[in-house]
PDB file of all heavy atoms in Angstrom:
ATOM      1  N   GLU W  58       0.834  -1.207   0.000  1.00  0.00           N
ATOM      2  CA  GLU W  58       0.000   0.000   0.000  1.00  0.00           C
ATOM      3  C   GLU W  58       0.866   1.253   0.000  1.00  0.00           C
ATOM      4  O   GLU W  58       0.562   2.226  -0.696  1.00  0.00           O
ATOM      5  CB  GLU W  58      -0.929  -0.010   1.214  1.00  0.00           C
ATOM      6  CG  GLU W  58      -2.061  -1.017   1.113  1.00  0.00           C
ATOM      7  CD  GLU W  58      -2.929  -1.023   2.353  1.00  0.00           C
ATOM      8  OE1 GLU W  58      -2.514  -0.392   3.369  1.00  0.00           O
ATOM      9  OE2 GLU W  58      -3.995  -1.651   2.334  1.00  0.00           O
ATOM     10  N   ARG W  59       1.949   1.226   0.794  1.00  0.00           N
ATOM     11  CA  ARG W  59       2.846   2.384   0.802  1.00  0.00           C
ATOM     12  C   ARG W  59       3.505   2.575  -0.558  1.00  0.00           C
ATOM     13  O   ARG W  59       3.617   3.709  -1.060  1.00  0.00           O
ATOM     14  CB  ARG W  59       3.910   2.207   1.898  1.00  0.00           C
ATOM     15  CG  ARG W  59       3.378   2.348   3.317  1.00  0.00           C
ATOM     16  CD  ARG W  59       4.521   2.505   4.310  1.00  0.00           C
ATOM     17  NE  ARG W  59       5.394   1.338   4.306  1.00  0.00           N
ATOM     18  CZ  ARG W  59       5.225   0.290   5.115  1.00  0.00           C
ATOM     19  NH1 ARG W  59       4.224   0.270   5.973  1.00  0.00           N
ATOM     20  NH2 ARG W  59       6.073  -0.724   5.072  1.00  0.00           N
ATOM     21  N   GLU W  60       3.947   1.458  -1.157  1.00  0.00           N
ATOM     22  CA  GLU W  60       4.588   1.565  -2.471  1.00  0.00           C
ATOM     23  C   GLU W  60       3.592   2.030  -3.526  1.00  0.00           C
ATOM     24  O   GLU W  60       3.927   2.837  -4.409  1.00  0.00           O
ATOM     25  CB  GLU W  60       5.190   0.225  -2.868  1.00  0.00           C
ATOM     26  CG  GLU W  60       6.371  -0.191  -1.988  1.00  0.00           C
ATOM     27  CD  GLU W  60       6.907  -1.558  -2.357  1.00  0.00           C
ATOM     28  OE1 GLU W  60       6.254  -2.239  -3.188  1.00  0.00           O
ATOM     29  OE2 GLU W  60       7.959  -1.954  -1.818  1.00  0.00           O
ATOM     30  N   THR W  61       2.348   1.517  -3.440  1.00  0.00           N
ATOM     31  CA  THR W  61       1.323   1.949  -4.389  1.00  0.00           C
ATOM     32  C   THR W  61       1.025   3.432  -4.240  1.00  0.00           C
ATOM     33  O   THR W  61       0.892   4.159  -5.228  1.00  0.00           O
ATOM     34  CB  THR W  61       0.036   1.136  -4.181  1.00  0.00           C
ATOM     35  OG1 THR W  61       0.304  -0.250  -4.374  1.00  0.00           O
ATOM     36  CG2 THR W  61      -1.051   1.578  -5.157  1.00  0.00           C
ATOM     37  N   ALA W  62       0.935   3.885  -2.990  1.00  0.00           N
ATOM     38  CA  ALA W  62       0.695   5.305  -2.757  1.00  0.00           C
ATOM     39  C   ALA W  62       1.846   6.152  -3.301  1.00  0.00           C
ATOM     40  O   ALA W  62       1.634   7.217  -3.885  1.00  0.00           O
ATOM     41  CB  ALA W  62       0.505   5.560  -1.265  1.00  0.00           C
ATOM     42  N   ALA W  63       3.076   5.651  -3.130  1.00  0.00           N
ATOM     43  CA  ALA W  63       4.236   6.388  -3.645  1.00  0.00           C
ATOM     44  C   ALA W  63       4.207   6.449  -5.172  1.00  0.00           C
ATOM     45  O   ALA W  63       4.515   7.484  -5.771  1.00  0.00           O
ATOM     46  CB  ALA W  63       5.527   5.725  -3.161  1.00  0.00           C
ATOM     47  N   VAL W  64       3.827   5.324  -5.811  1.00  0.00           N
ATOM     48  CA  VAL W  64       3.744   5.307  -7.278  1.00  0.00           C
ATOM     49  C   VAL W  64       2.667   6.266  -7.762  1.00  0.00           C
ATOM     50  O   VAL W  64       2.860   7.012  -8.738  1.00  0.00           O
ATOM     51  CB  VAL W  64       3.470   3.871  -7.776  1.00  0.00           C
ATOM     52  CG1 VAL W  64       3.128   3.877  -9.259  1.00  0.00           C
ATOM     53  CG2 VAL W  64       4.671   2.978  -7.520  1.00  0.00           C
ATOM     54  N   ARG W  65       1.517   6.260  -7.090  1.00  0.00           N
ATOM     55  CA  ARG W  65       0.436   7.167  -7.494  1.00  0.00           C
ATOM     56  C   ARG W  65       0.847   8.625  -7.326  1.00  0.00           C
ATOM     57  O   ARG W  65       0.515   9.476  -8.166  1.00  0.00           O
ATOM     58  CB  ARG W  65      -0.817   6.870  -6.671  1.00  0.00           C
ATOM     59  CG  ARG W  65      -1.482   5.556  -7.039  1.00  0.00           C
ATOM     60  CD  ARG W  65      -2.662   5.254  -6.142  1.00  0.00           C
ATOM     61  NE  ARG W  65      -3.316   4.022  -6.524  1.00  0.00           N
ATOM     62  CZ  ARG W  65      -4.276   3.434  -5.813  1.00  0.00           C
ATOM     63  NH1 ARG W  65      -4.691   3.992  -4.677  1.00  0.00           N
ATOM     64  NH2 ARG W  65      -4.831   2.311  -6.243  1.00  0.00           N
ATOM     65  N   GLU W  66       1.560   8.915  -6.243  1.00  0.00           N
ATOM     66  CA  GLU W  66       2.030  10.283  -6.041  1.00  0.00           C
ATOM     67  C   GLU W  66       3.022  10.670  -7.123  1.00  0.00           C
ATOM     68  O   GLU W  66       2.992  11.800  -7.634  1.00  0.00           O
ATOM     69  CB  GLU W  66       2.677  10.407  -4.666  1.00  0.00           C
ATOM     70  CG  GLU W  66       3.297  11.759  -4.373  1.00  0.00           C
ATOM     71  CD  GLU W  66       2.302  12.897  -4.377  1.00  0.00           C
ATOM     72  OE1 GLU W  66       1.086  12.630  -4.239  1.00  0.00           O
ATOM     73  OE2 GLU W  66       2.723  14.061  -4.515  1.00  0.00           O
ATOM     74  N   ARG W  67       3.889   9.715  -7.502  1.00  0.00           N
ATOM     75  CA  ARG W  67       4.850   9.990  -8.570  1.00  0.00           C
ATOM     76  C   ARG W  67       4.127  10.209  -9.895  1.00  0.00           C
ATOM     77  O   ARG W  67       4.490  11.112 -10.671  1.00  0.00           O
ATOM     78  CB  ARG W  67       5.828   8.832  -8.685  1.00  0.00           C
ATOM     79  CG  ARG W  67       6.892   9.005  -9.773  1.00  0.00           C
ATOM     80  CD  ARG W  67       7.687  10.267  -9.582  1.00  0.00           C
ATOM     81  NE  ARG W  67       8.719  10.416 -10.589  1.00  0.00           N
ATOM     82  CZ  ARG W  67       9.358  11.547 -10.849  1.00  0.00           C
ATOM     83  NH1 ARG W  67       9.049  12.649 -10.173  1.00  0.00           N
ATOM     84  NH2 ARG W  67      10.287  11.587 -11.778  1.00  0.00           N
ATOM     85  N   GLU W  68       3.104   9.393 -10.158  1.00  0.00           N
ATOM     86  CA  GLU W  68       2.321   9.569 -11.383  1.00  0.00           C
ATOM     87  C   GLU W  68       1.640  10.933 -11.390  1.00  0.00           C
ATOM     88  O   GLU W  68       1.581  11.598 -12.424  1.00  0.00           O
ATOM     89  CB  GLU W  68       1.276   8.459 -11.499  1.00  0.00           C
ATOM     90  CG  GLU W  68       1.864   7.091 -11.821  1.00  0.00           C
ATOM     91  CD  GLU W  68       0.805   6.018 -11.886  1.00  0.00           C
ATOM     92  OE1 GLU W  68      -0.346   6.297 -11.459  1.00  0.00           O
ATOM     93  OE2 GLU W  68       1.101   4.910 -12.351  1.00  0.00           O
ATOM     94  N   ARG W  69       1.132  11.335 -10.224  1.00  0.00           N
ATOM     95  CA  ARG W  69       0.480  12.647 -10.142  1.00  0.00           C
ATOM     96  C   ARG W  69       1.484  13.759 -10.429  1.00  0.00           C
ATOM     97  O   ARG W  69       1.192  14.705 -11.176  1.00  0.00           O
ATOM     98  CB  ARG W  69      -0.139  12.835  -8.758  1.00  0.00           C
ATOM     99  CG  ARG W  69      -0.941  14.119  -8.609  1.00  0.00           C
ATOM    100  CD  ARG W  69      -1.317  14.353  -7.157  1.00  0.00           C
ATOM    101  NE  ARG W  69      -0.137  14.591  -6.335  1.00  0.00           N
ATOM    102  CZ  ARG W  69       0.494  15.763  -6.284  1.00  0.00           C
ATOM    103  NH1 ARG W  69       0.083  16.791  -7.018  1.00  0.00           N
ATOM    104  NH2 ARG W  69       1.558  15.896  -5.511  1.00  0.00           N
ATOM    105  N   GLN W  70       2.680  13.650  -9.846  1.00  0.00           N
ATOM    106  CA  GLN W  70       3.705  14.661 -10.082  1.00  0.00           C
ATOM    107  C   GLN W  70       4.116  14.697 -11.551  1.00  0.00           C
ATOM    108  O   GLN W  70       4.290  15.773 -12.126  1.00  0.00           O
ATOM    109  CB  GLN W  70       4.919  14.382  -9.198  1.00  0.00           C
ATOM    110  CG  GLN W  70       4.648  14.552  -7.699  1.00  0.00           C
ATOM    111  CD  GLN W  70       5.839  14.157  -6.853  1.00  0.00           C
ATOM    112  OE1 GLN W  70       6.852  13.688  -7.357  1.00  0.00           O
ATOM    113  NE2 GLN W  70       5.723  14.347  -5.537  1.00  0.00           N
ATOM    114  N   LEU W  71       4.268  13.498 -12.152  1.00  0.00           N
ATOM    115  CA  LEU W  71       4.640  13.446 -13.567  1.00  0.00           C
ATOM    116  C   LEU W  71       3.543  14.029 -14.442  1.00  0.00           C
ATOM    117  O   LEU W  71       3.818  14.699 -15.450  1.00  0.00           O
ATOM    118  CB  LEU W  71       4.931  12.004 -13.983  1.00  0.00           C
ATOM    119  CG  LEU W  71       6.211  11.385 -13.409  1.00  0.00           C
ATOM    120  CD1 LEU W  71       6.318   9.918 -13.813  1.00  0.00           C
ATOM    121  CD2 LEU W  71       7.447  12.145 -13.886  1.00  0.00           C
ATOM    122  N   ASP W  72       2.286  13.768 -14.080  1.00  0.00           N
ATOM    123  CA  ASP W  72       1.177  14.319 -14.857  1.00  0.00           C
ATOM    124  C   ASP W  72       1.151  15.839 -14.756  1.00  0.00           C
ATOM    125  O   ASP W  72       0.926  16.532 -15.755  1.00  0.00           O
ATOM    126  CB  ASP W  72      -0.151  13.735 -14.361  1.00  0.00           C
ATOM    127  CG  ASP W  72      -1.318  14.143 -15.230  1.00  0.00           C
ATOM    128  OD1 ASP W  72      -1.326  13.791 -16.420  1.00  0.00           O
ATOM    129  OD2 ASP W  72      -2.225  14.831 -14.718  1.00  0.00           O
ATOM    130  N   GLU W  73       1.380  16.354 -13.542  1.00  0.00           N
ATOM    131  CA  GLU W  73       1.443  17.805 -13.383  1.00  0.00           C
ATOM    132  C   GLU W  73       2.601  18.387 -14.180  1.00  0.00           C
ATOM    133  O   GLU W  73       2.463  19.443 -14.812  1.00  0.00           O
ATOM    134  CB  GLU W  73       1.589  18.159 -11.903  1.00  0.00           C
ATOM    135  CG  GLU W  73       0.345  17.899 -11.081  1.00  0.00           C
ATOM    136  CD  GLU W  73       0.533  18.325  -9.635  1.00  0.00           C
ATOM    137  OE1 GLU W  73       1.674  18.733  -9.280  1.00  0.00           O
ATOM    138  OE2 GLU W  73      -0.443  18.245  -8.865  1.00  0.00           O
ATOM    139  N   GLU W  74       3.755  17.694 -14.165  1.00  0.00           N
ATOM    140  CA  GLU W  74       4.900  18.173 -14.933  1.00  0.00           C
ATOM    141  C   GLU W  74       4.613  18.135 -16.435  1.00  0.00           C
ATOM    142  O   GLU W  74       4.979  19.056 -17.168  1.00  0.00           O
ATOM    143  CB  GLU W  74       6.120  17.303 -14.615  1.00  0.00           C
ATOM    144  CG  GLU W  74       7.403  17.705 -15.331  1.00  0.00           C
ATOM    145  CD  GLU W  74       7.967  19.026 -14.829  1.00  0.00           C
ATOM    146  OE1 GLU W  74       7.447  19.574 -13.828  1.00  0.00           O
ATOM    147  OE2 GLU W  74       8.933  19.518 -15.440  1.00  0.00           O
ATOM    148  N   ARG W  75       3.930  17.058 -16.871  1.00  0.00           N
ATOM    149  CA  ARG W  75       3.584  16.967 -18.280  1.00  0.00           C
ATOM    150  C   ARG W  75       2.658  18.101 -18.686  1.00  0.00           C
ATOM    151  O   ARG W  75       2.844  18.728 -19.738  1.00  0.00           O
ATOM    152  CB  ARG W  75       2.903  15.622 -18.561  1.00  0.00           C
ATOM    153  CG  ARG W  75       2.479  15.443 -20.014  1.00  0.00           C
ATOM    154  CD  ARG W  75       1.680  14.151 -20.178  1.00  0.00           C
ATOM    155  NE  ARG W  75       0.469  14.161 -19.387  1.00  0.00           N
ATOM    156  CZ  ARG W  75      -0.641  14.782 -19.772  1.00  0.00           C
ATOM    157  NH1 ARG W  75      -0.683  15.433 -20.914  1.00  0.00           N
ATOM    158  NH2 ARG W  75      -1.713  14.746 -19.009  1.00  0.00           N
ATOM    159  N   ARG W  76       1.650  18.379 -17.856  1.00  0.00           N
ATOM    160  CA  ARG W  76       0.725  19.470 -18.165  1.00  0.00           C
ATOM    161  C   ARG W  76       1.451  20.816 -18.177  1.00  0.00           C
ATOM    162  O   ARG W  76       1.176  21.674 -19.025  1.00  0.00           O
ATOM    163  CB  ARG W  76      -0.413  19.491 -17.148  1.00  0.00           C
ATOM    164  CG  ARG W  76      -1.338  18.285 -17.246  1.00  0.00           C
ATOM    165  CD  ARG W  76      -2.413  18.336 -16.165  1.00  0.00           C
ATOM    166  NE  ARG W  76      -3.260  17.170 -16.200  1.00  0.00           N
ATOM    167  CZ  ARG W  76      -4.336  17.052 -16.979  1.00  0.00           C
ATOM    168  NH1 ARG W  76      -4.666  18.056 -17.782  1.00  0.00           N
ATOM    169  NH2 ARG W  76      -5.065  15.963 -16.964  1.00  0.00           N
ATOM    170  N   ARG W  77       2.378  20.978 -17.226  1.00  0.00           N
ATOM    171  CA  ARG W  77       3.104  22.245 -17.180  1.00  0.00           C
ATOM    172  C   ARG W  77       3.965  22.418 -18.424  1.00  0.00           C
ATOM    173  O   ARG W  77       3.999  23.499 -19.038  1.00  0.00           O
ATOM    174  CB  ARG W  77       3.997  22.278 -15.928  1.00  0.00           C
ATOM    175  CG  ARG W  77       4.697  23.620 -15.707  1.00  0.00           C
ATOM    176  CD  ARG W  77       5.676  23.524 -14.558  1.00  0.00           C
ATOM    177  NE  ARG W  77       6.786  22.638 -14.859  1.00  0.00           N
ATOM    178  CZ  ARG W  77       7.823  22.992 -15.611  1.00  0.00           C
ATOM    179  NH1 ARG W  77       7.894  24.192 -16.153  1.00  0.00           N
ATOM    180  NH2 ARG W  77       8.802  22.125 -15.839  1.00  0.00           N
ATOM    181  N   LEU W  78       4.646  21.338 -18.821  1.00  0.00           N
ATOM    182  CA  LEU W  78       5.476  21.417 -20.019  1.00  0.00           C
ATOM    183  C   LEU W  78       4.629  21.623 -21.274  1.00  0.00           C
ATOM    184  O   LEU W  78       5.023  22.363 -22.182  1.00  0.00           O
ATOM    185  CB  LEU W  78       6.310  20.141 -20.154  1.00  0.00           C
ATOM    186  CG  LEU W  78       7.407  19.950 -19.109  1.00  0.00           C
ATOM    187  CD1 LEU W  78       8.088  18.601 -19.298  1.00  0.00           C
ATOM    188  CD2 LEU W  78       8.444  21.073 -19.190  1.00  0.00           C
ATOM    189  N   ALA W  79       3.460  20.962 -21.319  1.00  0.00           N
ATOM    190  CA  ALA W  79       2.582  21.144 -22.477  1.00  0.00           C
ATOM    191  C   ALA W  79       2.099  22.584 -22.575  1.00  0.00           C
ATOM    192  O   ALA W  79       2.053  23.176 -23.660  1.00  0.00           O
ATOM    193  CB  ALA W  79       1.392  20.186 -22.383  1.00  0.00           C
ATOM    194  N   ALA W  80       1.737  23.157 -21.417  1.00  0.00           N
ATOM    195  CA  ALA W  80       1.290  24.548 -21.419  1.00  0.00           C
ATOM    196  C   ALA W  80       2.426  25.483 -21.830  1.00  0.00           C
ATOM    197  O   ALA W  80       2.225  26.436 -22.611  1.00  0.00           O
ATOM    198  CB  ALA W  80       0.764  24.923 -20.033  1.00  0.00           C
ATOM    199  N   ALA W  81       3.634  25.210 -21.320  1.00  0.00           N
ATOM    200  CA  ALA W  81       4.771  26.053 -21.682  1.00  0.00           C
ATOM    201  C   ALA W  81       5.096  25.914 -23.167  1.00  0.00           C
ATOM    202  O   ALA W  81       5.411  26.903 -23.847  1.00  0.00           O
ATOM    203  CB  ALA W  81       5.990  25.666 -20.837  1.00  0.00           C
ATOM    204  N   ALA W  82       5.000  24.680 -23.675  1.00  0.00           N
ATOM    205  CA  ALA W  82       5.277  24.471 -25.096  1.00  0.00           C
ATOM    206  C   ALA W  82       4.264  25.191 -25.964  1.00  0.00           C
ATOM    207  O   ALA W  82       4.610  25.830 -26.964  1.00  0.00           O
ATOM    208  CB  ALA W  82       5.267  22.975 -25.403  1.00  0.00           C
ATOM    209  N   GLU W  83       3.001  25.081 -25.586  1.00  0.00           N
ATOM    210  CA  GLU W  83       1.966  25.765 -26.366  1.00  0.00           C
ATOM    211  C   GLU W  83       2.156  27.276 -26.331  1.00  0.00           C
ATOM    212  O   GLU W  83       2.028  27.963 -27.347  1.00  0.00           O
ATOM    213  CB  GLU W  83       0.585  25.384 -25.846  1.00  0.00           C
ATOM    214  CG  GLU W  83      -0.540  26.007 -26.662  1.00  0.00           C
ATOM    215  CD  GLU W  83      -1.907  25.583 -26.177  1.00  0.00           C
ATOM    216  OE1 GLU W  83      -1.983  24.963 -25.101  1.00  0.00           O
ATOM    217  OE2 GLU W  83      -2.893  25.875 -26.854  1.00  0.00           O
ATOM    218  N   GLU W  84       2.480  27.801 -25.147  1.00  0.00           N
ATOM    219  CA  GLU W  84       2.692  29.242 -25.027  1.00  0.00           C
ATOM    220  C   GLU W  84       3.879  29.681 -25.886  1.00  0.00           C
ATOM    221  O   GLU W  84       3.826  30.710 -26.565  1.00  0.00           O
ATOM    222  CB  GLU W  84       2.936  29.604 -23.561  1.00  0.00           C
ATOM    223  CG  GLU W  84       3.142  31.101 -23.333  1.00  0.00           C
ATOM    224  CD  GLU W  84       3.385  31.410 -21.868  1.00  0.00           C
ATOM    225  OE1 GLU W  84       3.298  30.486 -21.045  1.00  0.00           O
ATOM    226  OE2 GLU W  84       3.648  32.583 -21.562  1.00  0.00           O
ATOM    227  N   ARG W  85       4.957  28.862 -25.862  1.00  0.00           N
ATOM    228  CA  ARG W  85       6.134  29.205 -26.668  1.00  0.00           C
ATOM    229  C   ARG W  85       5.804  29.163 -28.156  1.00  0.00           C
ATOM    230  O   ARG W  85       6.209  30.038 -28.926  1.00  0.00           O
ATOM    231  CB  ARG W  85       7.252  28.205 -26.351  1.00  0.00           C
ATOM    232  CG  ARG W  85       8.503  28.389 -27.208  1.00  0.00           C
ATOM    233  CD  ARG W  85       9.283  29.617 -26.787  1.00  0.00           C
ATOM    234  NE  ARG W  85      10.527  29.715 -27.546  1.00  0.00           N
ATOM    235  CZ  ARG W  85      10.668  30.413 -28.665  1.00  0.00           C
ATOM    236  NH1 ARG W  85       9.635  31.067 -29.155  1.00  0.00           N
ATOM    237  NH2 ARG W  85      11.837  30.449 -29.280  1.00  0.00           N
ATOM    238  N   LEU W  86       5.060  28.161 -28.574  1.00  0.00           N
ATOM    239  CA  LEU W  86       4.695  28.038 -29.979  1.00  0.00           C
ATOM    240  C   LEU W  86       3.797  29.180 -30.412  1.00  0.00           C
ATOM    241  O   LEU W  86       3.992  29.782 -31.478  1.00  0.00           O
ATOM    242  CB  LEU W  86       4.002  26.691 -30.214  1.00  0.00           C
ATOM    243  CG  LEU W  86       3.550  26.405 -31.641  1.00  0.00           C
ATOM    244  CD1 LEU W  86       4.730  26.423 -32.599  1.00  0.00           C
ATOM    245  CD2 LEU W  86       2.812  25.073 -31.711  1.00  0.00           C
ATOM    246  N   GLN W  87       2.790  29.499 -29.588  1.00  0.00           N
ATOM    247  CA  GLN W  87       1.876  30.592 -29.939  1.00  0.00           C
ATOM    248  C   GLN W  87       2.620  31.914 -30.040  1.00  0.00           C
ATOM    249  O   GLN W  87       2.357  32.719 -30.938  1.00  0.00           O
ATOM    250  CB  GLN W  87       0.754  30.678 -28.899  1.00  0.00           C
ATOM    251  CG  GLN W  87      -0.194  29.485 -28.892  1.00  0.00           C
ATOM    252  CD  GLN W  87      -0.926  29.339 -30.203  1.00  0.00           C
ATOM    253  OE1 GLN W  87      -1.191  30.322 -30.889  1.00  0.00           O
ATOM    254  NE2 GLN W  87      -1.237  28.103 -30.565  1.00  0.00           N
ATOM    255  N   LYS W  88       3.549  32.149 -29.115  1.00  0.00           N
ATOM    256  CA  LYS W  88       4.313  33.390 -29.158  1.00  0.00           C
ATOM    257  C   LYS W  88       5.160  33.453 -30.433  1.00  0.00           C
ATOM    258  O   LYS W  88       5.231  34.496 -31.106  1.00  0.00           O
ATOM    259  CB  LYS W  88       5.209  33.504 -27.931  1.00  0.00           C
ATOM    260  CG  LYS W  88       6.046  34.790 -27.885  1.00  0.00           C
ATOM    261  CD  LYS W  88       6.903  34.846 -26.645  1.00  0.00           C
ATOM    262  CE  LYS W  88       7.694  36.162 -26.592  1.00  0.00           C
ATOM    263  NZ  LYS W  88       8.546  36.353 -27.785  1.00  0.00           N
TER     264      LYS W  88
END
């Protein structure tokens, strides 16, 4: 359960990072 929670937290962080990079990429492209 602890390892699963850690994996889910890592997935959440990676998803947030992916969204942040996607937003930054889109902003850079639009500019």
Side-chain angles (χ1 to χ4, degrees):
E58 288 178 349
R59 289 194 299 269
E60 293 177 352
T61 300
V64 170
R65 289 176 178 171
E66 176 62 20
R67 180 57 178 164
E68 289 178 348
R69 185 190 65 79
Q70 293 175 356
L71 290 176
D72 187 62
E73 289 182 355
E74 181 69 7
R75 179 186 61 80
R76 292 177 183 274
R77 186 187 66 79
L78 291 176
E83 183 178 10
E84 181 180 355
R85 176 73 175 94
L86 180 60
Q87 293 298 330
K88 180 180 182 302

